[in-house]
Amino acid sequence: MKVRQKFIYQEFFRFFALVFFLFGAFTLIIDFFEKFPSFLSFKKPFILFISYLFWKSWIELYQFFPFILGLSALLQIFWWSRNRELIAFLSLGFSKSEVLGEFLKIYALFSLLAGVILSFIFPRAVFNAIYIWDYQMTGKRAKYLVFKKEIL
């Protein structure tokens, strides 16, 4: 691995981790305080609430992932521009296409890999979050419809 690739990848993961943590903490705090009063009224074990928040966080990650990736890319370019690292790359003899090509390659690869992984996890996360909140917390009975007939 070349030095410039290592530098670009380290910067990518640093900015992505920062934005991911900020979005994740923000949405987790909002969900916690939104659902916690209802959870207290159900008088169920706290581990059930934690499992609900776990599955709900996967749903929110699926929804916010493109924004997180785009915002981290913009922050990285702004940071490089602010600290004159883009000018340093150019003064070392790297062309703009080399620097930005490497930059876009890591973002495209990470977007594709994470998108595929999240696409497999998302349906299970939605089912588990709804099942935990609607049936295990509230005590509703699960109904299954097959050809407009109820199977109890």
Side-chain angles (χ1 to χ4, degrees):
M1 180 181 291
K2 296 178 182 175
V3 174
R4 80 161 186 261
Q5 289 175 331
K6 186 177 178 181
F7 176 75
I8 290 172
Y9 297 162
Q10 284 176 347
E11 290 287 312
F12 162 73
F13 286 116
R14 184 175 71 161
F15 281 100
F16 181 79
L18 174 72
V19 175
F20 177 77
F21 176 74
L22 290 175
F23 270 83
F26 183 70
T27 57
L28 191 63
I29 289 170
I30 287 175
D31 277 343
F32 181 82
F33 287 111
E34 178 186 4
K35 296 287 187 176
F36 193 67
S38 300
F39 164 72
L40 288 177
S41 68
F42 296 138
K43 297 179 182 172
K44 298 288 182 172
F46 190 68
I47 191 73
L48 202 59
F49 186 64
I50 296 297
S51 63
Y52 169 75
L53 288 178
F54 172 75
W55 290 111
K56 184 73 171 165
S57 66
W58 281 104
I59 295 169
E60 290 171 355
L61 176 62
Y62 181 81
Q63 293 172 346
F64 284 118
F65 182 75
F67 300 113
I68 292 171
L69 199 61
L71 186 60
S72 63
L74 286 175
L75 285 177
Q76 185 173 358
I77 289 180
F78 291 155
W79 183 259
W80 282 357
S81 177
R82 170 88 168 89
N83 290 335
R84 295 179 178 81
E85 291 174 9
L86 286 175
I87 294 174
F89 274 127
L90 296 176
S91 65
L92 288 171
F94 296 112
S95 67
K96 291 178 186 177
S97 62
E98 285 178 321
V99 175
L100 293 179
E102 200 68 43
F103 177 76
L104 293 175
K105 184 169 60 172
I106 185 65
Y107 273 93
L109 181 65
F110 190 71
S111 174
L112 180 67
L113 288 175
V116 167
I117 291 169
L118 286 174
S119 294
F120 284 113
I121 293 173
F122 181 71
R124 182 167 178 87
V126 169
F127 174 78
N128 285 339
I130 291 172
Y131 181 76
I132 289 170
W133 189 258
D134 286 345
Y135 299 112
Q136 289 182 343
M137 290 279 206
T138 62
K140 291 180 185 175
R141 198 166 166 201
K143 294 182 180 179
Y144 302 97
L145 295 176
V146 178
F147 302 113
K148 296 184 181 179
K149 295 180 183 177
E150 289 186 2
I151 301 173
L152 298 175

